[in-house]
């Protein structure tokens, strides 16, 4: 329909500006300037900044739905490879976590603060990953790849440090590289604590005679 291209550009500009500066620090003039039009032209598409903000919600929802679908896909890849004790390594566990972690670090604090203001923000930022990893660890327990434990508690122990480190990087962007490395260290430590190791064959006796 007429004007739909301008409306789409305005929404994309609003997403970028709200995510970088925060809702309160962005004006309709800022958005119009980013689109390359005059501010009054925006009011042909949106009643005001609140209406424009509300119109971005489906885009934020779509972004997080894609993010967690990527996490589900990464988990599925790992599950196909992990079929018993000794099969889970820290490197493989990283594959189920680092893609969305890197996407979160790339977005930065502004986008997460912005997403938190949109409906269901808390669900996307905490509840959804907690549910995903609770189910993930339950399936790994069925494969005897991780130790038997409460899956919900295990997911909390896994995610809480990761989300805390992302929060620290939000407060100080210079900590991003450090946060990434600390998250990888946490994954390795978690794997050492919870991964079930394959039992070594018994030593001594008759078995030792045939090793020569």
């Amino acid at each position: 329909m007429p004007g739909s291209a301008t409306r789409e550009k305005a929404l994309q500009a609003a997403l970028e500006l709200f995510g970088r500066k925060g809702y309160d620090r962005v004006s309709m003039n800022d958005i119009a300037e980013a689109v390359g039009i005059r501010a009054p032209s925006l009011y042909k598409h949106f009643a005001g900044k609140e209406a424009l903000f509300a119109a971005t919600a489906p885009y934020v929802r779509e972004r997080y739905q894609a993010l967690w679908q990527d996490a589900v896909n990464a988990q599925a890849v790992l599950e196909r490879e992990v079929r018993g004790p000794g099969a889970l390594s820290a490197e493989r566990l990283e594959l189920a976590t680092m893609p969305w972690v890197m996407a979160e670090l790339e977005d930065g604090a502004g986008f997460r603060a912005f997403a938190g203001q949109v409906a269901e923000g808390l669900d996307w930022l905490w509840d959804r990953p907690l549910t995903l990893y609770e189910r993930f660890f339950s399936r790994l327990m069925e494969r005897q790849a991780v130790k038997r434990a409460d899956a919900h508690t295990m997911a909390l122990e896994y995610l809480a440090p990761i989300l805390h480190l992302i929060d620290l990087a939000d407060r100080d962007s210079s900590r991003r590289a450090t946060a990434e490395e600390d998250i990888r260290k946490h994954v390795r430590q978690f794997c050492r604590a919870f991964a079930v190791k394959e039992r070594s064959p018994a030593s001594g006796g008759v078995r030792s005679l045939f090793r020569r």
Side-chain angles (χ1 to χ4, degrees), residues 105-124:
L105 288 170
E106 183 67 30
D107 281 341
F111 187 87
R112 275 182 290 285
F114 164 52
Q117 291 176 300
V118 178
E120 302 179 44
L122 182 62
D123 175 61
W124 298 327

Side-chain angles (χ1 to χ4, degrees), residues 140-159:
L140 290 182
M141 285 180 209
E142 293 172 1
R143 290 164 170 75
Q144 300 183 333
V146 296
K147 296 176 182 176
R148 288 282 176 185
D150 180 75
H152 179 74
T153 302
M154 187 179 289
L156 282 172
E157 291 187 27
Y158 189 65
L159 285 171

Side-chain angles (χ1 to χ4, degrees), residues 181-195:
E181 179 54 32
D182 285 344
I183 288 169
R184 294 185 188 279
K185 289 178 181 177
H186 163 65
V187 172
R188 290 192 288 269
Q189 180 63 37
F190 184 92
C191 196
R192 283 196 292 270
F194 286 98

Side-chain angles (χ1 to χ4, degrees), residues 34-95:
V35 176
I37 60 175
R38 297 180 63 187
S41 299
L42 278 180
Y43 291 94
K44 297 177 182 178
H45 306 280
F46 307 98
K49 191 170 80 165
E50 287 186 9
L52 178 52
F53 176 79
T56 64
Y59 293 81
V60 177
R61 185 178 297 111
E62 181 181 342
R63 186 257 183 237
Y64 274 97
Q65 286 174 341
L67 185 73
W68 301 131
Q69 186 57 51
D70 287 345
V72 169
N73 294 341
Q75 291 175 358
V77 170
L78 179 63
E79 289 173 45
R80 286 196 294 269
E81 298 176 350
V82 174
R83 290 291 177 179
L88 181 65
S89 67
E91 291 76 14
R92 284 176 169 175
L93 196 53
E94 280 185 22
L95 294 177

